[in-house]
Amino acid sequence: MLRDGLQNEDRVLPTARKIELVERLAASGLRRIEVSSFVSPRAMSQLADADAVFKGMARRPGGIHAALVPNLRGMERAIDGGADEANLVMSASQSHNRANLRMSREASLRAIRQAAALASTAGMRVAAILTWCRRLQDDADIHSISLCDTSGMAYPALVKEVVGSVRDVCRGNTLALHFHNTQGLGLANVFAELESGVVRYDGALAGIGGCLYAPGATGNICTADLVDALEVSGYPTGVDLDALINTARDLEKPLGPATPGQVMKAGRRLSGPIAAHHGPAG
Ligand code: COA
Ligand code: ZN
């Protein structure tokens, strides 16, 4: 929390000195550092150079350089500065929220919603995921949460980290995972969480699809590829793979042969599962 420290000092440190502090904290082995905040420079002159600090500092692989963000404008700056994580803030106390952020709690909630939406399209890791999952569970009495990698930028290590934290927070909830195959890692992402007991995964027939708001994103994993991979790994799905492949091939006729599904083109393998039996997945 370098940010919290610096913002309460009367003396304003030069940008180069802040950069040096961040780099030395990271070198000492701290993995997650809240570097600065992208708030109004008038509200917090001590941290008015957040953009320059983020752009000037060296980054270590695996390090998480976070920033405090109060609104959409702040999130735009955080993304531009390459922040790895945005900590979206508001106060539970109405008077404190008004004094600190000059808005009502409801207005803050709206600002957080907009900022979080922007962050997820930009593929940023957001502490807000956890906050919202907790609220969906506690305030809205939701019992099943589907985590969606809409841009398809997730990778197995990230999936393990995010899903692991969500699982800790939302113990009463069934988790489902929804991966797009943009980077070809959809199936790898499924297998990253399979052992830990997530039993619901989305697929798309023939792998078609994309996302209107995530340019470049391709469709979900092809359902037949998913079923095939699960079955041969010893996770029975209860799905008739041959029937699924036929349906996917029929879809290809009107759509043209460019659908992404692979098992539907290669045909299913002839040998059965080799791995031990696990509980059902699907
Ligand atoms: N970064 C930079 N500038 C911002 C900004 C941001 N995140 N959010 C708003 N601004 C700018 C606006 O562009 C506008 O600029 P202009 O007057 O030149 O057009 C100006 O600030 C006022 O915008 P407005 O939306 O009316 O904000 P506000 O004056 O009501 O302030 C906050 C709202 C949230 C931006 C401000 O109260 C704030 O930054 N508070 C954070 C305080 C803090 O750091 N507290 C400690 C940590 S919790
Ligand atoms: Zn999707």
Side-chain angles (χ1 to χ4, degrees):
M1 278 276 173
L2 185 60
R3 186 272 309 165
D4 213 331
L6 292 180
Q7 79 180 28
N8 290 301
E9 290 296 317
D10 291 337
R11 207 161 67 92
V12 180
L13 294 186
T15 305
R17 181 86 180 92
K18 291 175 183 166
I19 290 174
E20 186 202 331
L21 285 172
V22 176
E23 291 174 352
R24 287 180 57 184
L25 288 172
S28 72
L30 288 170
R31 233 170 57 78
R32 177 182 259 103
I33 300 170
E34 192 173 275
V35 172
S36 191
S37 57
F38 291 104
V39 298
S40 157
R42 274 201 293 277
M44 185 60 67
S45 56
Q46 292 94 326
L47 301 177
D49 59 356
D51 312 78
V53 173
F54 265 89
K55 289 198 170 141
M57 71 194 177
R59 290 159 190 257
R60 309 194 140 227
I64 297 169
H65 294 89
L68 182 141
V69 168
N71 59 13
L72 189 61
R73 174 82 193 96
M75 187 61 84
E76 287 164 356
R77 291 171 62 204
I79 290 167
D80 184 51
D84 302 301
E85 186 176 280
N87 297 331
L88 296 161
V89 283
M90 64 173 283
S91 306
S93 147
Q94 182 77 289
S95 54
H96 186 266
N97 206 63
R98 282 197 187 282
N100 187 37
L101 301 177
R102 285 190 250 283
M103 51 187 141
S104 68
R105 290 173 297 184
E106 288 303 322
S108 267
L109 197 61
R110 281 194 296 277
I112 287 177
R113 198 182 296 135
Q114 292 170 339
L118 180 65
S120 60
T121 17
M124 193 197 281
R125 182 197 321 251
V126 211
I129 293 175
L130 292 182
T131 309
W132 286 102
C133 286
R134 192 182 281 121
R135 288 200 61 185
L136 285 167
Q137 175 176 266
D138 298 346
D139 303 356
D141 203 22
I142 295 292
H143 299 292
S144 172
I145 291 178
S146 181
L147 295 172
C148 301
D149 172 33
T150 303
S151 58
M153 293 302 185
Y155 47 92
L158 179 65
V159 170
K160 281 190 174 161
E161 184 185 325
V162 172
V163 179
S165 337
V166 172
R167 197 186 304 111
D168 287 345
V169 168
C170 300
R171 296 213 167 268
N173 262 280
T174 307
L175 284 186
L177 301 179
H178 172 104
F179 294 115
H180 283 253
N181 206 25
T182 312
Q183 305 280 44
L185 285 176
L187 273 178
N189 289 335
V190 169
F191 277 79
E193 273 307 312
L194 208 46
E195 288 292 335
S196 64
V198 176
V199 293
R200 283 179 45 198
Y201 297 93
D202 292 339
L205 186 64
I208 60 168
C211 177
L212 217 52
Y213 302 105
T218 61
N220 298 133
I221 318 155
C222 171
T223 314
D225 296 357
L226 179 60
V227 166
D228 176 61
L230 289 172
E231 293 276 346
V232 295
S233 307
Y235 295 88
T237 61
V239 176
D240 179 342
L241 183 56
D242 292 315
L244 192 58
I245 289 174
N246 285 336
T247 311
R249 286 181 180 157
D250 286 344
L251 178 72
E252 230 181 13
K253 287 172 195 155
L255 292 183
T259 61
Q262 285 178 287
V263 172
M264 60 186 279
K265 300 195 186 76
R268 68 177 303 168
R269 77 196 77 223
L270 299 173
S271 56
I274 47 159
H277 229 61
H278 301 269

